[in-house]
Amino acid sequence: MFEHTEIGTSRERVEEQVRSWCERARVDGRWPMLSDASSVAIAAGRLDGPTREILAARRRAGRSVPSIGGFATARTLAEERSRWLAKDTKNKPGSALVYRMRATELTKRLDHLRTIVVMSTDHYAHGVRAVRRERRDGIHLDLDQRDALFDALLHTPVPKQHIGGLAVRTGLSVLDVAADRVAEASKNTRFENAGDRASAVMAQVADQKDDVFADRYETLLFIAGTSYDRVNFSPAWRSEHFLVQRTQLDLAEELTQVAVDTNSLQDISTELDDIAGAMLDDATRVQVATRRAVLESVWTQLIDRVAALVRVADLVTRSEGDHSAMNVVQKAHSLDNRIDALVSRAGNRELSADNTHFVGDQIT
């Protein structure tokens, strides 16, 4: 399911690769969208402490959040709505109407998804007794908490290629086709070298081989969420081989805590940027620089924690081969036993037939 290149288990090498991905806001290759489980764990990082505790209790109790087919869908719709609302409508009364209509349509679609997530009677208690029972067990989410969860899910990390809007995606596709045509048209002509160079430049602009993100923070959360998914969906991880590790590691809780710290770091960094843009004296500049140095140490710690998740995912992925081989051996052994049993039963039936005599309608 997860086919991006593994980067090994060396701590230094993994940390260096994760840092590079985050600083470039780009990961090598195309990775699957985050699952509902990792999306909810990351979204919990934007919620208050009591709500996070309830979500953790629900996860341990096997209670899921209603699915909408991937929360990347909600993020994409929210981003598109924001773009339409942000369009300049000055001196464009006709365009303003079109923009508002488009934004209204997207709002209706988002409201529909919100209703699914917030109001599902299959996932949340409805009725006084059921609600009291869930509250006693610490797994009941009130309506406002579910609303807050949906708002947080609108920030699910998604590559920019998927939220760039129809015009951007279409433009890249056209450019990609044009690159192929330029290379083909210049083939076997005196312009072949120039055509190849132009094609290479156009293909680079339209490069869809890597996933690109809005900033380093979203990149970090996407890497962490993908690592969680790789482990969580691995048959090897659910086998007896990793029984001890499963009882010792709460990967979903670690992912949520990484999200909490990443969001806090991003908020503080944004505030420092605002202060830096308005600072007027040297003393303020020194204070901002000092705080930035402290924040970089926190960022390094987050890199280390996410790199640890990546290393766990790589180790589990590599163990899947051994786990599959073990399953084959076990199945072969089981098949041998079944064959032996079948042969034994067939032999017994033959022996019984040889020693059975009919006397009239009776068998003796």
Side-chain angles (χ1 to χ4, degrees):
M1 181 178 179
F2 300 94
E3 299 179 351
H4 73 274
T5 303
E6 294 180 15
I7 55 180
T9 57
S10 168
R11 178 175 179 176
E12 293 76 14
R13 184 165 62 252
V14 176
E15 290 175 359
E16 180 181 355
Q17 181 63 82
V18 172
R19 183 182 295 277
S20 174
W21 280 335
C22 291
E23 294 307 323
R24 293 185 296 128
R26 174 190 293 264
V27 298
D28 298 335
R30 302 298 300 273
W31 296 12
M33 293 295 97
L34 298 182
S35 70
D36 286 359
S38 58
S39 297
V40 171
I42 291 173
R46 293 180 175 272
L47 305 176
D48 56 51
T51 305
R52 288 201 302 270
E53 292 178 3
I54 294 173
L55 283 173
R58 288 179 63 85
R59 183 183 67 251
R60 289 190 292 268
R63 300 293 188 90
S64 61
V65 171
S67 176
I68 58 173
F71 292 109
T73 301
R75 167 70 187 278
T76 301
L77 292 175
E79 291 287 342
E80 188 174 354
R81 181 180 62 178
S82 297
R83 284 193 299 273
W84 284 104
L85 291 175
K87 287 182 178 292
D88 184 14
T89 59
K90 292 180 180 178
N91 302 320
K92 300 178 182 178
S95 297
L97 177 61
V98 173
Y99 295 165
R100 286 197 300 270
M101 290 177 61
R102 180 56 178 158
T104 300
E105 178 187 347
L106 292 168
T107 299
K108 289 180 179 178
R109 294 174 63 183
L110 281 169
D111 288 343
H112 173 66
L113 297 180
R114 182 185 295 273
T115 300
I116 294 175
V117 173
V118 173
M119 303 301 295
S120 172
T121 56
D122 294 331
H123 295 76
Y124 307 114
H126 56 288
V128 176
R129 291 185 178 180
V131 169
R132 286 177 178 174
R133 183 166 55 252
E134 283 198 352
R135 283 178 174 164
R136 184 175 62 249
D137 296 337
I139 59 175
H140 180 70
L141 286 169
D142 292 328
L143 279 175
D144 58 342
Q145 292 174 315
R146 298 177 218 166
D147 265 323
L149 174 59
F150 183 79
D151 290 337
L153 286 167
L154 296 181
H155 298 275
T156 297
V158 176
K160 292 173 67 175
Q161 294 97 318
H162 297 275
I163 58 177
L166 179 61
V168 174
R169 295 195 296 270
T170 304
L172 290 174
S173 299
V174 170
L175 193 59
D176 201 18
V177 172
D180 292 338
R181 291 182 176 176
V182 167
E184 183 66 25
S186 61
K187 190 175 182 180
N188 298 325
T189 70
R190 62 176 179 168
F191 301 106
E192 182 171 359
N193 290 335
D196 288 343
R197 288 195 296 271
S199 175
V201 171
M202 296 169 73
Q204 183 177 8
V205 174
D207 183 15
Q208 296 292 292
K209 295 181 180 179
D210 294 341
D211 282 334
V212 182
F213 297 88
D215 52 42
R216 66 177 186 172
Y217 304 104
E218 185 165 0
T219 309
L220 185 70
L221 290 177
F222 187 81
I223 295 171
T226 299
S227 299
Y228 170 81
D229 284 340
R230 291 174 60 200
V231 175
N232 195 42
F233 290 116
S234 170
W237 178 251
R238 296 192 294 271
S239 69
E240 294 183 0
H241 181 71
F242 286 104
L243 177 61
V244 175
Q245 288 80 358
R246 288 201 308 274
T247 59
Q248 292 177 341
L249 296 176
D250 189 341
L251 294 177
E253 181 62 24
E254 173 62 15
L255 178 57
T256 295
Q257 292 304 317
V258 166
V260 170
D261 294 341
T262 300
N263 293 329
S264 297
L265 180 61
Q266 184 176 15
D267 291 342
I268 296 173
S269 297
T270 300
E271 292 180 10
L272 283 179
D273 290 340
D274 294 340
I275 294 174
M279 60 187 178
L280 303 174
D281 55 84
D282 293 337
T284 303
R285 293 190 181 91
V286 171
Q287 291 180 5
V288 170
T290 301
R291 286 172 171 79
R292 286 192 187 280
V294 173
L295 292 183
E296 280 306 307
S297 66
V298 176
W299 174 250
T300 298
Q301 294 174 9
L302 283 171
I303 291 289
D304 294 345
R305 291 165 65 183
V306 173
L309 287 175
V310 174
R311 291 174 62 211
V312 170
D314 283 349
L315 285 169
V316 171
T317 299
R318 274 195 295 276
S319 71
E320 288 180 356
D322 297 335
H323 182 257
S324 297
M326 186 182 303
N327 283 342
V328 171
V329 172
Q330 291 175 347
K331 289 179 180 179
H333 182 67
S334 174
L335 184 59
D336 286 341
N337 291 337
R338 291 168 61 190
I339 291 174
D340 290 342
L342 181 60
V343 171
S344 177
R345 289 197 300 271
N348 290 336
R349 284 197 296 272
E350 291 175 0
L351 178 62
S352 177
D354 290 341
N355 293 278
T356 298
H357 303 281
F358 287 87
V359 179
D361 293 332
Q362 302 297 321
I363 299 178
T364 62

